[in-house]
Amino acid sequence: MAAGLKTIIALSFVLAIGFLLVILSSALWHNYLPLLVVATYVVAPLPNWICSRCANPDDFMENAGSAIVDFGRFVTGFLVVMGIALPALLAHCALIQYPAMAMSIVGGLLIYGTIISFTMFFQEEQEF
């Protein structure tokens, strides 16, 4: 499936809304701790990508061990859950307000969803 110009524009729009929500959750309440969510969602796909590249360097063997791929998925899942739990923890400790927590979580999920959609739409097909 070839991603067209409309897909790029739509995903960029959703990404911009996600960043806007996270920035507003920080700026409206004059507390910049919710910006940590952006770092977790930007770093979250990296372990999955690195471990999938390291898992099968040989093209001749398809079914090599998948422990490293499972580890990458585990670390990615941990970072995604941390991106949701971190604003909740900060709000529980009264370091940020609850509306800032909600905006940060929704914005972070939009950011991560856009990153995953970009990788899904622009993944190259392997032909043998």
Side-chain angles (χ1 to χ4, degrees):
M1 178 180 178
L5 186 62
K6 289 182 182 180
T7 305
I8 294 171
I9 292 171
L11 288 175
S12 299
F13 182 71
V14 172
L15 183 67
I17 290 175
F19 276 120
L20 178 71
L21 283 173
V22 172
I23 290 170
L24 282 178
S25 72
S26 299
L28 290 178
W29 285 275
H30 304 292
N31 191 351
Y32 295 98
L33 286 173
L35 287 177
L36 294 173
V37 174
V38 175
T40 60
Y41 282 115
V42 168
V43 173
L46 291 179
N48 203 8
W49 178 70
I50 291 170
C51 291
S52 67
R53 296 287 182 243
C54 294
N56 196 8
D58 189 14
D59 289 336
F60 298 114
M61 295 180 63
E62 275 301 313
N63 294 330
S66 66
I68 189 129
V69 174
D70 291 339
F71 177 72
R73 289 179 184 160
F74 173 77
V75 174
T76 298
F78 172 77
L79 289 171
V80 170
V81 170
M82 188 175 86
I84 296 170
L86 185 64
L89 177 74
L90 292 173
H92 177 73
C93 294
L95 293 174
I96 63 173
Q97 302 292 324
Y98 283 104
M101 174 197 71
M103 289 174 67
S104 180
I105 289 173
V106 170
L109 289 175
L110 285 174
I111 291 169
Y112 183 69
T114 305
I115 291 170
I116 293 299
S117 298
F118 266 118
T119 58
M120 189 175 71
F121 281 121
F122 298 109
Q123 190 173 20
E124 295 179 7
E125 294 289 326
Q126 295 181 358
E127 295 181 15
F128 292 105

